[in-house]
Amino acid sequence: MRDDELILYLYDELTPVERREVESRLRSDPDLASRLDALRREFVDWKNAAQPPAPGDMVQRWHDSIDRAAAGEYAATGEPRGAFSLASFAWGAAVTAALAIGIGIGAWFSNRPAAPPTAATSVAATQPALPEQQGTAFTRGLRVHFRDAQRELSSIPVEAAADRTELVMQLIQQNRLFERAAEEHGSANLARVLRAFEPILLRLASDDIAPEDAEELRKQLAFELRVMLTILERDASNKTQST
Amino acid sequence: MAAVLKAASAPTRADFHDAISRRSNCWYSVCLRLTRSRDLAEDAVQDALLTAWNKRQQFDGSARLETWIHRIVVNAALQLLRKQKPGRQEPLEIDPAGDGESPDAARFDAELGDQLSVALGHLSEMERTCFVLKHLEEWRLGEIADELGMNTGAVKQAVFRAVRKLRTHMTGLLDEAR
């Protein structure tokens, strides 16, 4: 009898007839019985093999995500929607994802170690030299994002905590998508920076930020966008002149 | 009326926190086995929790909440795996087993866990997925086939190959660990 049948026997995946046949063979064949015992011991060992526990900060992020989902849901059903629209929601996803990428690229360009994204001043201080292999399509798309974001930024609902929470939660998802994309393209530094950006977005998702703080954030976003656009457009212009 | 009762019995935020506190290690573990990536494992659990939260009205209470979430977690990990390009998974860096203060049994299990992680790295993605779902998650072969869009015979063969390879790679390691 082959091990495959013993495997199916241990997994209880044999038909009743097959099972009876195996049991009959086991009774009459001590070697087969000892092979089964050895296999069973290995199965038990594999089953008991421990995995390292999830890191504490990771577990905390999972707790936080439920809190934010609950907060966003509660606020969304408990407050009027105001001027917030699906279009601006979609824009919001684009703008912060673009912003996250922008800031990430800033850090990436400057070849910094993986540190949390910094303020616009540090982004402005970088001198981007976009690698040729990145192509112009990516930066063109990024510029479109930034320009759309600039145009729409003035209507961000800073007073509506629910809308802001929903928006940022969406942004976090977007940020993760870009992070994965960066990883898939072998841009480990960019991915790490985007990952480091997430805790900041999580704080922004908090529904206890005062409107004035949200307004400060809006201004900061506008500034960062302007800086990034300037950098990207100057870079594009330099490339055009050099060709 | 039924809808009201159902809504009233839907798990609360506290229920989710409780489930996370008690079972997230287990969810993380299966995701890590499947994806062999800490980041993907974290993402899978995160995605699953948000999915479960958004669908909590569908939780009918016939199983425990953490069991219901567990299934969603496994599906989330499988979904992330499908999105990955081949070869995307990195070999896991194995943390040192035990801290010198663990009881023997726990230390043995930890060492075994490390070795199994290494051995799982020798399997193809399909073999590993089928093995984890069959052996560790105790799915029926038919369920695995349905989930992965394969026929049962192919799943069976993948499990056989996985067991053979694991026995080969784990032989000796176990004896040393005991």
Side-chain angles (χ1 to χ4, degrees), chain A residues 78-228:
Chain A
E79 291 181 16
R81 304 293 297 167
F84 188 66
S85 66
L86 186 62
S88 65
F89 185 70
W91 159 78
V95 72
T96 305
L99 182 72
I101 280 202
I103 293 172
I105 284 173
W108 185 40
F109 285 156
S110 63
N111 286 325
R112 293 178 180 174
T118 54
T121 46
S122 63
V123 175
T126 62
Q127 294 298 319
L130 189 66
E132 286 298 331
Q133 65 268 28
Q134 294 301 311
T136 56
F138 179 75
T139 49
R140 209 164 40 233
L142 202 54
R143 289 205 305 272
V144 169
H145 273 310
F146 286 152
R147 275 196 289 267
D148 286 349
Q150 254 189 340
R151 195 169 51 248
E152 300 284 349
L153 189 59
S154 58
S155 63
I156 195 169
V158 289
E159 295 86 7
D163 294 340
R164 203 178 58 243
T165 299
E166 277 191 35
L167 170 68
V168 178
M169 283 177 62
Q170 182 73 16
L171 302 179
I172 289 167
Q173 294 297 320
Q174 288 277 342
N175 198 47
R176 286 168 58 188
L177 288 178
F178 282 107
E179 177 201 321
R180 282 181 204 143
E183 272 185 348
E184 283 176 6
H185 286 90
S187 306
N189 280 344
L190 177 58
R192 276 200 293 273
V193 170
L194 290 171
R195 195 174 305 128
F197 203 81
E198 184 162 327
I200 299 170
L201 289 170
L202 289 174
R203 284 201 299 277
L204 294 180
S206 171
D207 56 3
D208 57 5
I209 292 181
E212 53 270 27
D213 292 337
E215 175 59 19
E216 276 304 306
L217 173 69
R218 190 190 68 76
K219 286 180 185 167
Q220 187 187 352
L221 289 173
F223 177 67
E224 304 239 20
L225 283 169
R226 214 163 39 242
V227 170
M228 286 311 301

Side-chain angles (χ1 to χ4, degrees), chain A residues 4-89:
Chain A
D4 293 352
E5 287 167 85
L6 297 179
I7 290 169
L8 292 177
Y9 177 77
L10 288 177
Y11 282 147
D12 194 20
E13 292 277 6
L14 294 175
T15 65
V17 173
E18 291 168 336
R19 190 168 184 82
R20 278 197 295 275
E21 189 184 331
V22 170
E23 284 168 350
S24 165
R25 292 280 304 275
L26 286 169
R27 279 192 294 273
S28 61
D29 185 346
D31 287 343
L32 184 66
S34 70
R35 270 172 56 205
L36 179 70
D37 281 344
L39 186 59
R40 183 183 282 125
R41 274 198 303 276
E42 285 177 280
F43 272 28
V44 169
D45 283 339
W46 296 345
K47 187 88 181 165
N48 291 339
Q51 274 282 83
D57 57 338
M58 194 184 283
V59 175
Q60 189 53 50
R61 284 195 289 276
W62 294 330
H63 281 293
D64 290 345
S65 69
I66 291 298
D67 282 341
R68 267 183 299 284
E73 207 173 77
Y74 173 78
T77 55
E79 291 181 16
R81 304 293 297 167
F84 188 66
S85 66
L86 186 62
S88 65
F89 185 70

Side-chain angles (χ1 to χ4, degrees), chain B residues 74-132:
Chain B
V74 172
N75 285 334
L78 293 175
Q79 217 164 10
L80 284 183
L81 268 182
R82 285 187 200 109
K83 288 182 193 166
Q84 295 301 309
K85 291 176 181 171
R88 164 72 181 76
Q89 291 84 22
E90 301 290 332
L92 273 183
E93 289 171 19
I94 304 301
D95 295 330
D99 56 8
E101 297 173 357
S102 307
D104 281 350
R107 195 170 60 241
F108 174 70
D109 287 346
E111 286 171 4
L112 203 55
D114 292 348
Q115 290 156 5
L116 183 59
S117 292
V118 172
L120 285 171
H122 292 283
L123 308 186
S124 71
E125 188 177 304
M126 184 54 64
E127 290 162 356
R128 186 172 62 253
T129 302
C130 290
F131 172 79
V132 170

